[in-house]
Amino acid sequence: MFYLDVLPFVTVPHPLTYTSSASLPIGTLVKIRVRNHTTMGIVKGLSETSPGGSFTFSSIEGTVYDVPMINADSIQLIEWLVRYYGCTLNTAIETALPGLIRQGRTLPVDYCLKTTPITAQFPTKSFRQKEIYAWIQAHPMASMGAFSCAFPQSLAILKRLIEKGYVVKIESNKAETPLETLPNEDFALNQEQQAVFEALKNVWALDEKRPQVLWGVTGSGKTEIYHKLILEAQKRGQQAIYLVPEIMLSEQALNRLQERLSRHNIRSAAWHCHLSDSEKLKTWHRALQGQIDVILGTRSALFVPLKNLGLVIVDEEHEPSYKQSENPRYHGRDLAIYRAHTAKALCVLGTATPSVETWVNIKTNKYDLHRLILRANGQPLPKVYVVDMNYEKPNFEGTYILSALLREKISERLDNHEQTLLFLNRRGYSPYLYCPKCETRLTCPHCNTNLVFHKQGQMLRCHICDYQVATYTKCLKCGTALKLSRGLGTQRIEACLRQLYKTARILRLDSDVIQVQPHWYEDILAHRYDIIIGTQMLAKGLDFPLITLVGMIQADGLNSVEDFRNAERMFQLIVQVSGRAGRSKKAGEVVLQTFSPHSDCITYGSKMDVENFLNKEYSFREKYRYPPFRRMIRHIFRSRSEKVLSYVVEQWKLFLLKNNVCDFEILGPAQPSLNKINGYYRMHLIYLTKNILGMLPKLQTLRQAFKLPSNMIDLLDVDPIDFR
């Protein structure tokens, strides 16, 4: 008789104990009964000794798969999510395991193709059979997926070749793929890069490895070091996880990885939320079989069950998009550090603008620092011009879009057949439509936000809940003709450019366009466009060699956000966007347009003075005891009744003050800037503490003792990034 500790797929506060007649490995999925309902669970531990007590233990009803579906490291991640982020066990399991595995779906079987020793003889007119046979000979052990791409709708012909004995199908996990290596010049590093690589390699041999911060200026070749580290992991017989902050970046990085690493017999796979359920199941199965060397993806790639993880890379570690906006609200960078710690793997955090949290850990010797201070191409950092828009005149539909200097620089690039990137962190044609007589704004009926006007399609759209309606021409209250506000959007910039530069090839690139133009990346590299208008996603790690000018239309666009990280994010954005210029043989230039040219983020950002900016932010956070000098929890409450919400939140605060046995400070309650979303009114409280792990269980106990009305919802956001 064996006693199993099982993590059930239902909401329970702790693991449950079941019995089994057979010994089962950790990570096995089993069928169990909880509260008279059949569900599944993950075997966390096993013992031949009874836990004791006068309990009667239920037996498992069987196993779901013949092999474990998750490894011990991933189980530790699940428990860490519950312990640190305060989510339920069921929610953590849903985050870690793909949906089809939680449903017990049959695992896919992948096949490879190869020719047999039998001499193939074909009738004279069997051209297609000859062509397919020759292709399989030239591509030994090619996957069925690769075959289907090369020969669509040719499975019947393949079947005839198999029946004749000329070709055989072999399960992928039983296939022997011939090793193929290339000379090291494919991964040649310059002197500065090689020194950093050697230092990181020395850390690899240590039993206790601190996180390693790779801080390099934009264009310094951090990606080259990542690739060399992945090759080193393969030489050591280990696997790697390579995290990027955005799905768009993972697609570009995957293409680059596969191109450069596949010839070294390094097998890579992608993992992000845009993959279908069947694609995730297939990749998960390959990982369990040890057929993947590198997983590239967003934060959820951390849960893929790599058996011998030796390297975790977090590119652009400062990016706020590593923080999940849905429950469980975990931070991908912090979870990556914990994942590497449990596997005793090397963890590399790459960035051109370290986050303040990372900078504090460097200064307190919790992280090791490696610097790249030169661009890999030998070019200097781009020259930055700051334009005070207070002295400019409106030049398009009454708005300040292009300064005289930026117009001049764009014309120079067009004459020299070079590319220009114009950056604005806002979609749409204008922030909102308004009535000049009664000052009414068109707002979303479900959210307390303005409806954004999109010129294409003449639509008004809410960027929070995606409510859409056809554009009005007159005010619904007084009948006066509506006007556009003077704000900016990418569509308005595009209209301005088409008026000024009638022969220029212009690409407006935001999430609206990417869905209908999937080959935008290749088109930019092939110089099919002269001017690219982009939003925040273009600031993150992409390399466009022909871009020599970057124009930031509103370099103070985030200054209105109520957040203590305000200046840090704007500074990071300026440095990252500026880094897109001059990444090849020609030097780059940057034009920053701003109405506040003397703000810290503009002053330091225009000089690329990262260290002094971080030191100033360090002093600011330390003075006010903001994170990371104290930890923060945001407690969000939602209700369809504004009065009920306000009353209950005040009562909760009084309850906390009366029963507070925890060492934490309470700020609020307050309304966030988005105080209504999808019909729910919102309020929040902020808790500041020195010890999350000590405070959170006590806070949860108090919350369970407080009766919340049934028409209210609340959630905890540990280490919040977004305060809207």
Side-chain angles (χ1 to χ4, degrees), residues 394-680:
N395 50 52
F396 182 74
E397 296 181 353
T399 56
Y400 301 83
I401 295 184
L402 301 179
S403 62
L405 178 63
L406 185 53
R407 294 198 301 271
E408 176 188 333
K409 295 292 183 183
I410 292 173
S411 297
E412 290 178 5
R413 268 48 186 194
L414 292 173
D415 292 340
N416 295 333
H417 304 288
E418 297 168 8
Q419 289 177 311
T420 297
L421 170 64
L422 298 180
F423 175 85
L424 179 74
N425 187 33
R426 180 179 290 141
R427 300 180 299 169
Y429 191 79
S430 172
Y432 57 87
L433 291 171
Y434 71 99
C435 174
K437 184 176 180 180
C438 65
E439 299 183 352
T440 299
R441 297 182 181 183
L442 298 185
T443 59
C444 174
H446 311 295
C447 311
N448 189 23
T449 56
N450 296 321
L451 290 172
V452 175
F453 175 55
H454 288 253
K455 189 173 184 180
Q456 185 176 0
Q458 295 290 305
M459 296 294 294
L460 292 170
R461 181 185 300 174
C462 174
H463 285 181
I464 303 299
C465 70
D466 206 35
Y467 170 81
Q468 299 180 33
V469 66
T471 302
Y472 305 133
T473 57
K474 294 183 178 180
C475 177
L476 298 179
K477 289 186 177 181
C478 66
T480 304
L482 296 172
K483 286 189 175 182
L484 288 170
S485 72
R486 291 192 175 188
L488 290 179
T490 52
Q491 294 180 21
R492 176 171 281 193
I493 295 172
E494 180 184 15
C496 174
L497 289 168
R498 293 196 183 281
Q499 186 181 91
L500 290 173
Y501 309 103
K502 299 187 184 300
T503 61
R505 299 167 298 175
I506 299 170
L507 172 65
R508 175 175 58 84
L509 194 64
D510 52 33
S511 56
D512 295 332
V513 175
I514 280 182
Q515 297 175 5
V516 296
Q517 194 160 341
H519 302 296
W520 60 269
Y521 185 73
E522 292 79 8
D523 291 342
I524 294 175
L525 292 178
H527 201 173
R528 297 190 179 98
Y529 296 100
D530 303 308
I531 303 173
I532 300 98
I533 310 162
T535 52
Q536 216 176 75
M537 58 190 179
L538 283 181
K540 303 169 184 176
L542 294 176
D543 192 354
F544 301 113
L546 298 179
I547 289 178
T548 59
L549 174 65
V550 168
M552 203 163 181
I553 305 300
Q554 283 186 338
D556 38 13
L558 294 178
N559 285 345
S560 60
V561 179
E562 300 171 0
D563 190 341
F564 67 90
R565 292 187 179 93
N566 192 6
E568 179 190 9
R569 288 182 183 165
M570 197 66 232
F571 172 81
Q572 290 170 346
L573 201 54
I574 289 171
V575 174
Q576 293 287 341
V577 173
S578 299
R580 301 310 105 201
R583 297 174 72 94
S584 187
K585 296 180 180 179
K586 295 182 179 181
E589 292 183 316
V590 179
V591 177
L592 302 181
Q593 299 185 164
T594 175
F595 287 96
S596 51
H598 303 297
S599 65
D600 285 345
C601 54
I602 299 295
T603 301
Y604 290 108
S606 62
K607 299 175 183 177
M608 308 285 181
D609 191 353
V610 179
E611 187 165 353
N612 282 326
F613 176 82
L614 287 172
N615 285 333
K616 188 159 187 176
E617 280 294 297
Y618 181 104
S619 300
F620 165 72
R621 302 273 187 96
E622 187 177 36
K623 178 180 179 181
Y624 293 101
R625 309 301 296 163
Y626 283 140
F629 295 98
R630 283 189 296 179
R631 311 313 290 265
M632 181 178 285
I633 297 176
R634 184 186 183 209
H635 197 169
I636 306 167
F637 297 83
R638 294 183 294 171
S639 175
R640 294 194 181 275
S641 170
E642 191 172 13
K643 290 183 179 180
V644 170
L645 175 68
S646 178
Y647 174 78
V648 173
V649 173
E650 286 288 353
Q651 293 301 307
W652 163 249
K653 181 177 180 180
L654 292 173
F655 180 79
L656 275 182
L657 294 173
K658 181 180 178 181
N659 298 279
N660 186 7
V661 293
C662 310
D663 181 21
F664 64 89
E665 180 184 354
I666 304 172
L667 302 179
Q671 288 185 341
S673 57
L674 295 176
N675 61 357
K676 186 182 180 185
I677 294 179
N678 279 327
Y680 283 91

Side-chain angles (χ1 to χ4, degrees), residues 217-219 373-375 379-384 579 581-582 587-588 607-608:
V217 299
T218 54
I373 60 175
L374 301 175
R375 280 192 153 185
Q379 288 284 355
L381 290 171
K383 185 176 181 179
V384 181
K607 299 175 183 177
M608 308 285 181

Side-chain angles (χ1 to χ4, degrees), residues 686-704:
I686 303 295
Y687 311 131
L688 290 162
T689 181
K690 293 181 179 179
N691 183 359
I692 288 284
L693 292 176
M695 171 215 175
L696 190 58
K698 299 174 183 177
L699 181 64
Q700 290 175 311
T701 300
L702 290 172
R703 170 61 189 86
Q704 291 171 1

Side-chain angles (χ1 to χ4, degrees), residues 204 228-240 311:
W204 218 316
K228 195 72 178 283
L229 288 170
I230 291 170
L231 184 60
E232 179 65 25
Q234 191 233 18
K235 290 177 181 177
R236 294 169 180 259
Q238 296 178 322
Q239 298 156 315
L311 173 66

Side-chain angles (χ1 to χ4, degrees), residues 176-456:
E176 295 182 3
T177 306
L179 293 175
E180 182 181 4
T181 57
L182 290 178
N184 283 337
E185 50 263 29
D186 218 20
F187 295 93
L189 303 178
N190 62 31
Q191 186 175 356
E192 188 181 41
Q193 292 169 337
Q194 185 66 33
V196 170
F197 171 71
E198 294 296 335
L200 291 171
K201 207 163 72 165
N202 292 336
V203 176
W204 218 316
L206 302 177
D207 290 332
E208 294 294 329
K209 305 177 185 67
R210 292 190 294 194
Q212 307 295 303
V213 179
L214 177 53
W215 174 12
V217 299
T218 54
S220 58
K222 295 184 287 294
T223 303
E224 299 298 315
I225 296 177
Y226 299 156
H227 290 179
K228 195 72 178 283
L229 288 170
I230 291 170
L231 184 60
E232 179 65 25
Q234 191 233 18
K235 290 177 181 177
R236 294 169 180 259
Q238 296 178 322
Q239 298 156 315
I241 295 175
Y242 185 168
L243 293 189
V244 291
E246 299 282 358
I247 294 172
M248 183 192 73
L249 292 184
S250 70
E251 292 173 346
Q252 309 308 330
L254 177 62
N255 292 335
R256 195 170 178 183
L257 263 180
Q258 289 181 322
E259 179 184 347
R260 302 195 68 197
L261 300 179
S262 61
R263 291 175 293 171
H264 291 259
N265 201 43
I266 296 178
R267 301 158 296 181
S268 59
W271 189 274
H272 51 72
C273 65
H274 282 192
L275 294 177
S276 67
D277 288 343
S278 59
E279 287 173 322
K280 286 185 176 181
L281 183 63
K282 183 177 179 180
T283 300
W284 193 274
H285 190 210
R286 287 179 60 203
L288 288 171
Q289 293 178 320
Q291 296 178 6
I292 295 176
D293 301 312
V294 184
I295 283 287
L296 172 79
T298 49
R299 55 185 175 264
S300 57
L302 290 166
F303 298 101
V304 176
L306 300 178
K307 294 183 178 180
N308 190 21
L309 181 65
L311 173 66
V312 178
I313 296 170
V314 184
D315 194 22
E316 310 290 352
E317 66 84 20
H318 61 276
E319 273 296 324
S321 52
Y322 276 121
K323 181 78 155 82
Q324 179 150 298
S325 58
E326 300 171 352
N327 202 27
R329 301 192 172 203
Y330 68 93
H331 199 298
R333 176 198 62 210
D334 299 340
L335 199 66
I337 293 170
Y338 185 76
R339 176 82 168 92
H341 172 72
T342 59
K344 295 187 177 180
L346 176 67
C347 183
V348 179
L349 309 178
T351 180
T353 53
S355 64
V356 174
E357 288 80 5
T358 296
W359 184 242
V360 171
N361 282 320
I362 291 170
K363 291 178 77 71
T364 54
N365 295 317
K366 294 179 181 177
Y367 295 176
D368 294 329
L369 176 63
H370 308 270
R371 294 288 303 270
L372 294 172
I373 60 175
L374 301 175
R375 280 192 153 185
N377 61 6
Q379 288 284 355
L381 290 171
K383 185 176 181 179
V384 181
Y385 301 90
V386 178
V387 178
D388 188 346
M389 296 300 287
N390 292 296
Y391 296 99
E392 295 288 325
K393 294 180 179 179
N395 50 52
F396 182 74
E397 296 181 353
T399 56
Y400 301 83
I401 295 184
L402 301 179
S403 62
L405 178 63
L406 185 53
R407 294 198 301 271
E408 176 188 333
K409 295 292 183 183
I410 292 173
S411 297
E412 290 178 5
R413 268 48 186 194
L414 292 173
D415 292 340
N416 295 333
H417 304 288
E418 297 168 8
Q419 289 177 311
T420 297
L421 170 64
L422 298 180
F423 175 85
L424 179 74
N425 187 33
R426 180 179 290 141
R427 300 180 299 169
Y429 191 79
S430 172
Y432 57 87
L433 291 171
Y434 71 99
C435 174
K437 184 176 180 180
C438 65
E439 299 183 352
T440 299
R441 297 182 181 183
L442 298 185
T443 59
C444 174
H446 311 295
C447 311
N448 189 23
T449 56
N450 296 321
L451 290 172
V452 175
F453 175 55
H454 288 253
K455 189 173 184 180
Q456 185 176 0

